[in-house]
Structures are given as C-alpha cells and as structure tokens.
Amino acid sequence: MCGIIGYVGKRNAVPVLLYGLQRLEYRGYDSAGIAVIENSGNKIVVEKQVGKIKDLQEHMWGKKIEGHTAIGHTRWATHGTPTIENAHPHTSQRGTISIVHNGIIENYLELKEKLIKKGYKFRSETDTEVIAHLFEDLYTGDLLETAFKVAEKLDGAYAVGVVSTYEPDRIIAIKKGSPLIIGLGKDENFIASDIPAVLEYTKDFIALEDGEIALVTKDRVEVYNPEGKKLEKKPFHVTWDVSVAEKAGYKHFMQKEIHEQPRTVGDTITGFSSSKDEKLFEMLKDINRLYIIACGTSYHAALVGKFWIERFAKIPVEVDYASEFRYRDRIIDDRTAILGISQSGETADTRFALLDAKKEGAKAMERL
Ligand code: GLU
C-alpha cells in the first residue's frame, strides 16, 4: 500500500503534487503518476513514470500542465508488474474520470469480467482499473452519489481519490481499510494517505474512518457515512514539522517501526489474501512438510512463522539457514513445500536453495 495525494484550490496543482509525492518517498514505491484536470476543464492530463519522483519530474520537464484539481500516487505493485501502464492514476474509457488507489480490490476479477462484457477495455493488469471503469459505468450525473454505488460493489481494502471532467472542481475520497486523511487549507483542500504529503501546506486535518466517503472542493469538505448520512467530523491540529511527521510524531524511526507493526502486519496479510492467491492455496492443499529457508533477520522471522504455522495449519515446519540447507541432504518430494524469506529478494543462498529444492520436486512459488 503506497501513497496518495490530491489537491483542489487556487494554485497550480502540479508542483503541489510533485512536492507531496516526494514527501511520501520514505514509504518505498515502484512508480508514480499524477492526473490533472487541465484549466479548460474538459480534459484530464495523466503523466506517469516507473522509478522515482525525480524520474517523473524529468519526464514532465518542459510540459506546461496547469490545473487546480489533481490527484497523485506512488505505487507499490500488488497486481501487475511495475510498468507505466500499471502505474496510477487509472482513467475511465472515455477519459472523463481518473482515480488513484491504495490497497487491494479482492473481487476485481469478477468485476473486470462484467465490465469487459459491457465493452470496457482494460489497459493495465491492476485490480485498480476496475474502479475507474465502474465510476464511468455507474455515473449518475453526480460524482458523490456515484461513489456510494461504486463502494457498494468493491470488496477489499482501499483508499481511493477520484477526479472527473464532469465535475472539475472537486475530489471524491473513499476510505476502507487503507488510511486516508483530508488536509484543510484556506481556499484549498487536500487528500492524502499520510500527513507528511501535505504538511507543507496545512497542519489541520480530518481523518476518514472505514466506510466514509468525502466530497472535497476548495472551500468545502463534506464527509458521509456508508449510508449517506452527513457527519460532523472534528478536525485535529498537528504541531509537527515535516521531519517529525515522517517519523509520525515518534522520536526515532525504530520507535515508529515498532508502533507501526499492527498496520504493517495488516497490510502484508491483505496483500496475500487476494483472489490471485487461489493458485497458491490450491498448490499448498496437499503438502505434508514445509521447509522455511532464510538468513539473518529473515531466519528469526521464519522461527516465528514455524510457531504459528504448526499451531494453525498443523504441518511440520523445519527452519533452516539457506547456506546450510543448500549443502545438506534434505528430504524432498512433491508433498514438500519450500518457503524462502528474504528482505531484498536477492539473498543469493536463499535464491539458490529455492532453485535447488524446486529441481528436486518441491513446490515453490516466487513472490516478492
Ligand atoms: N493494488 C494496486 C496496484 O497494484 C494498488 C497498489 C498500492 O497500494 O500502491 O496497482
């Protein structure tokens, strides 16, 4: 789950977004992009790039894009490789609605099939793109009203920002399971997945709760519960500066990481419980032994994994140092599964141990 920012106000949104996206870089991401409602109001300009925000900036160098309503995103791919096509924002078929999304849409395959039958053409491998087409398909003439209809169809965890040429002076924000806040300014407002993205511009915020949907214009913020009832949300004020905000008020990054563990574990589990893992579940159905191979810190994580897997799945688990596993006589057959854990995906011993085990008939599936 990565970063979202949105701006609606008097300034040119482009530098605001690029600056905000840079403030989200500390979260890690693989690609980035922005969608701007150009000043004329009848066109959405989308710019995306794989790599860093500076690559996106270089790619946009010299292009004169100006608009007062825009959304931006840093992507951490869950569905589809990091490519320009898969980077967000994603735009509806007629080019009238653009969206950014953090999280995972669990039922995207089912929604995609239905949309394809209706004639929608998909340009990416993401789960996210269904949201853009759904918005166009269900558009009632009112973006806010449509957001309720779209949210009803989505299963999973998501924070979504939406802009449209139909209603060029507003952003719609939807939150369920992934963080989303609204930054309050004077003659301008923001949406963001994390406070640092907009802290340069405001220190006053409204936090959206799961199921809530917001309408944000330059001088108005309305928040609704899932049943469409308008809520009185109390704004909160932060006194942090950007460097403190990146540490979310904690003294050190280490302290922050410790306190973030519930969110991180939640994000990770969400990432692995999506429908594309049906293949993985199918593959693991009949196993009777699991080796977890790892090195260093990953080895310690594996020991915790052994504890939980043996308790819940009742499958014997052996945890091995990858460097030792490679060179010993291990017992492997087609009911053995191998799980390699690596922080970078590049630990040589773990990679080679996995390859060797695969050759010997073990079930192995690669996930980064
Ligand atoms: N699931 C989406 C994708 O793969 C969103 C990823 C994110 O949260 O950055 O594009």
Side-chain angles (χ1 to χ4, degrees):
M1 325 293 131
C2 227
I4 287 180
I5 179 168
Y7 176 82
V8 51
K10 285 184 172 170
R11 315 176 202 223
N12 181 12
V14 176
V16 177
L17 253 52
L18 291 174
Y19 181 83
L21 289 175
Q22 262 170 347
R23 299 275 72 77
L24 293 175
E25 287 197 292
Y26 71 97
R27 290 182 57 84
Y29 60 102
D30 53 56
S31 51
I34 61 170
V36 185
I37 311 255
E38 271 222 307
N39 273 346
S40 61
N42 52 22
K43 197 166 139 232
I44 299 179
V45 178
V46 178
E47 298 290 344
K48 310 187 202 185
Q49 199 55 260
V50 174
K52 297 287 163 203
I53 304 301
K54 100 173 157 14
D55 300 311
L56 177 65
Q57 275 166 330
E58 270 165 30
H59 158 79
M60 290 175 62
W61 199 248
K63 296 188 183 177
K64 287 207 168 13
I65 305 168
E66 270 214 41
H68 301 296
T69 309
I71 45 176
H73 190 257
T74 49
R75 175 172 187 244
W76 184 272
T78 64
H79 292 62
T81 46
T83 58
I84 293 190
E85 292 73 29
N86 289 338
H88 304 206
H90 288 282
T91 304
S92 65
Q93 196 139 305
R94 275 188 235 129
T96 49
I97 297 170
S98 260
I99 68 123
V100 284
H101 161 226
N102 277 357
I104 286 170
I105 304 303
E106 302 278 352
N107 58 338
Y108 83 102
L109 279 177
E110 181 193 322
L111 294 169
K112 191 169 173 174
E113 251 169 53
K114 283 188 188 150
L115 286 161
I116 288 174
K117 276 198 193 121
K118 285 186 166 182
Y120 286 90
K121 293 204 169 49
F122 280 74
R123 289 170 286 221
S124 79
E125 306 158 316
T126 63
D127 50 336
T128 300
E129 196 179 345
V130 294
I131 308 174
H133 296 312
L134 268 183
F135 257 95
E136 186 168 292
D137 196 51
L138 300 173
Y139 188 63
T140 60
D142 182 310
L143 209 54
L144 177 65
E145 192 179 81
T146 310
F148 285 94
K149 292 188 182 296
V150 172
E152 233 169 62
K153 300 236 178 265
L154 302 177
D155 288 340
Y158 47 86
V160 179
V162 189
V163 293
S164 171
T165 51
Y166 297 136
E167 299 168 47
D169 61 343
R170 58 192 54 192
I171 297 177
I172 300 294
I174 315 177
K175 186 230 185 288
K176 195 185 146 204
S178 297
L180 201 58
I181 48 137
I182 298 170
L184 308 171
K186 192 174 166 343
D187 291 327
E188 59 185 9
N189 287 308
F190 308 80
I191 64 162
S193 52
D194 304 78
I195 288 177
V198 294
L199 200 57
E200 180 75 9
Y201 309 103
T202 180
K203 289 191 184 310
D204 295 305
F205 297 95
I206 287 175
L208 294 182
E209 300 298 327
D210 280 346
E212 290 178 356
I213 297 182
L215 164 73
V216 184
T217 71
K218 74 175 171 32
D219 38 30
R220 198 156 48 108
V221 172
E222 292 171 9
V223 181
Y224 296 86
N225 75 4
E227 287 74 47
K229 184 172 172 286
K230 200 164 158 189
L231 305 171
E232 288 303 322
K233 299 280 286 186
K234 209 164 164 262
F236 63 93
H237 182 80
V238 300
T239 48
W240 321 326
D241 62 18
V242 170
S243 75
V244 179
E246 284 180 358
K247 297 194 201 105
Y250 296 104
K251 224 167 166 188
H252 314 288
F253 275 112
M254 186 192 272
Q255 202 182 28
K256 175 174 173 258
E257 281 173 18
I258 290 168
H259 287 271
E260 268 180 351
Q261 281 178 9
R263 171 169 164 187
T264 312
V265 170
D267 283 356
T268 310
I269 291 172
T270 313
F272 278 86
S273 64
S274 70
S275 47
K276 77 172 178 175
D277 285 320
E278 270 164 28
K279 215 171 118 198
L280 180 65
F281 294 138
E282 188 56 34
M283 189 177 105
L284 294 179
K285 220 173 55 197
D286 297 322
I287 64 160
N288 61 8
R289 180 203 301 262
L290 174 68
Y291 285 107
I292 310 184
I293 46 176
C295 298
T297 308
S298 306
Y299 175 83
H300 293 117
L303 291 173
V304 178
K306 171 184 166 73
F307 178 86
W308 291 110
I309 293 168
E310 286 185 339
R311 172 182 279 193
F312 291 116
K314 307 268 184 264
I315 295 166
V317 179
E318 271 188 59
V319 179
D320 249 305
Y321 275 111
S323 52
E324 286 173 16
F325 182 87
R326 279 183 75 186
Y327 301 107
R328 72 177 177 86
D329 291 325
R330 57 264 153 154
I331 301 159
I332 288 174
D333 60 26
D334 62 356
R335 296 188 67 193
T336 309
I338 309 285
L339 171 67
I341 307 182
S342 153
Q343 289 170 8
S344 61
E346 286 172 12
T347 310
D349 277 324
T350 310
R351 283 185 73 91
F352 285 118
L354 269 177
L355 286 176
D356 289 351
K358 226 170 155 176
K359 272 190 219 142
E360 287 166 36
K363 293 177 191 273
M365 194 170 187
E366 284 169 44
R367 286 283 299 260
L368 285 181

